Amino acid sequence: MKVHKISKKLVKPDTPTAQNLKNYKISMLDQFMESMNMGVILFYESKPEKKTQLEESLATILVEFYLLAGRYMKNDHFVDCNDDGAEFVEAEAQGVAAITDVVATTDSDQLNLNDLLPDQYFRVDEAPNDPLLSIQATHFPCGGLAIAISISHRVFDVPSFGAFIAAWSKACSNPDHYYKTTESNSRPSFNIPSLLPYVDLGLAAGSNKFIVEANEIAVKRLVFDKDAITRLRSQIAHIVNDTVISRVNVVCAVIAKALIEADRAKHGGGNRGLFIIQSINMRERTIPPQPKHAYGNLTIPSLTRRVDSSKVVGMGELVDVIDESVGKSVGEYSEILVSPSIIMNALGNITKHVYDPETNVVVFTDWSKFGFYDADFGWGKPVWASIGPQRPAITTTVIMSDRDGNGIEAWLHLKQSDAPYFDQVEEIKLCTT
């Protein structure tokens, strides 16, 4: 597949941002975010009859999401909401007969989606005029369309990302209906920095410690369909503490078990303990609770207890470890608005283990609950939702739902040097479709 980029422009809000909203100071949590973009690519079998429909609706929705039309001033730790606009790229794909030809490619080594992303995706915080929101609409000769959406992690987390796409798609499909039916109390709220004010912790403009070059990362797309997940649940149902085992936790346990085996093979056995990090969305879980439409970074990492990888570790044990960690963290983090120091303690503990050569730290981030497959811009829901590439220094898996909502696509990112050991784990092949 070849992609030819036709045009690039900046889409500005329909009306100027009010003067009192011009300076958006980032929050305490925002400052811990690496200089990276989050991306999702939505594939559609149809596209709008009116070519400018996406741009026009974007200009409309940016009035409410004015933050995304601004620019991040990294030396001063705030977003200048100057209405410079979001990057919008139009492109055409060549050499693909149908959109389903791309969707059907399950071999991650053959699946290169980078050309479907806007160029800005790979440039973050390099210059004060770098957009916080970038979009590429790629038209396929069969009539299909891929919409790649990229947002700076400096100002948004995944729940915010999903909620923005939902709002934009509704405004695009029927703008009059959107504004008549959207209640005022569900409009975007950007009050997180007022609840967790920025404090200079000597982190400069943020950290790139956990980002590496793209060519150092191998990506594995692991597909677990409904039947595979049902089979895995039945294997461990009798040995876990939970009566209901979530499909996400099952998949995380399978991948974690395979990563333990790969790590033991690489290090010749040994006793490198395993720690699992999971991201927890704290909206509606804090005291006082925050609404779903609170935009910004309000997702905090949860660290499990150490898993002894010198012995055989079962999937049931890993499911219990993950469940235990999430439950404990939700309780501890509920008071972060009252005691922000909780954040520092949690991140300090994680960093300690990340840099310990005697530990193996893996990350799971769940994107399955944020409605990417519901994004109907007016020509139907996506036939596939893919993620943008990650560049983590720590082995990281992004969990996505499949189209029917019963299966899982897990995008595993690990170092190129670790990939051969993972590929040798036969069990992972038996668990995926």
Side-chain angles (χ1 to χ4, degrees), residues 144-195:
L145 178 70
I147 305 175
I149 307 159
S150 164
I151 282 182
S152 171
H153 205 344
R154 179 70 63 198
V155 295
F156 268 25
D157 57 10
V158 179
S160 298
F161 190 18
F164 165 74
I165 293 175
W168 179 27
S169 63
K170 289 177 183 176
C172 183
S173 61
N174 194 334
D176 292 336
H177 180 73
Y178 171 76
Y179 284 108
K180 287 178 181 177
T181 59
T182 303
E183 299 177 359
S184 59
N185 64 0
S186 63
R187 296 293 189 190
S189 169
F190 299 107
N191 70 330
I192 293 177
S194 67
L195 302 172

Side-chain angles (χ1 to χ4, degrees), residues 398-417:
V398 179
I399 302 294
M400 287 282 281
S401 285
D402 62 8
R403 187 182 183 185
D404 65 17
N406 294 315
I408 291 288
E409 287 190 5
W411 294 80
L412 171 64
H413 301 73
L414 68 169
K415 294 178 181 178
Q416 286 281 1
S417 58

Side-chain angles (χ1 to χ4, degrees), residues 51-232:
K51 191 174 182 180
T52 58
Q53 189 172 344
L54 280 171
E55 294 178 47
E56 291 173 359
S57 59
L58 179 61
T60 300
I61 203 74
L62 283 176
V63 174
E64 289 190 318
F65 290 88
Y66 58 90
L67 177 67
L68 298 179
R71 298 294 182 266
Y72 178 56
M73 304 290 109
K74 64 180 180 179
N75 292 328
D76 298 312
H77 319 295
F78 78 95
V79 176
D80 181 4
C81 302
N82 54 16
D83 299 334
D84 275 2
E87 180 186 56
F88 191 91
V89 180
E90 289 275 358
E92 290 182 347
Q94 301 169 348
V96 180
I99 200 91
T100 51
D101 291 343
V102 181
V103 177
T105 304
T106 57
D107 186 348
S108 55
D109 293 332
Q110 303 297 320
L111 188 63
N112 186 355
L113 303 176
N114 288 1
D115 289 341
L116 297 176
L117 295 162
D119 293 337
Q120 184 58 42
Y121 186 87
F122 301 99
R123 299 194 307 273
V124 186
D125 291 353
E126 291 182 5
N129 60 349
D130 286 344
L132 296 175
L133 170 64
S134 299
I135 292 144
Q136 179 170 313
T138 303
H139 301 264
F140 286 77
C142 58
L145 178 70
I147 305 175
I149 307 159
S150 164
I151 282 182
S152 171
H153 205 344
R154 179 70 63 198
V155 295
F156 268 25
D157 57 10
V158 179
S160 298
F161 190 18
F164 165 74
I165 293 175
W168 179 27
S169 63
K170 289 177 183 176
C172 183
S173 61
N174 194 334
D176 292 336
H177 180 73
Y178 171 76
Y179 284 108
K180 287 178 181 177
T181 59
T182 303
E183 299 177 359
S184 59
N185 64 0
S186 63
R187 296 293 189 190
S189 169
F190 299 107
N191 70 330
I192 293 177
S194 67
L195 302 172
L196 290 171
Y198 174 88
V199 178
D200 189 353
L201 299 171
L203 299 178
S207 173
N208 287 328
K209 292 180 180 178
F210 302 121
I211 294 178
V212 299
E213 294 301 318
N215 60 7
E216 298 178 31
I217 298 295
V219 181
K220 307 290 180 183
R221 180 189 178 204
L222 307 173
V223 181
F224 299 79
D225 66 12
K226 179 182 177 180
D227 291 339
I229 292 175
T230 299
R231 185 173 64 251
L232 290 167

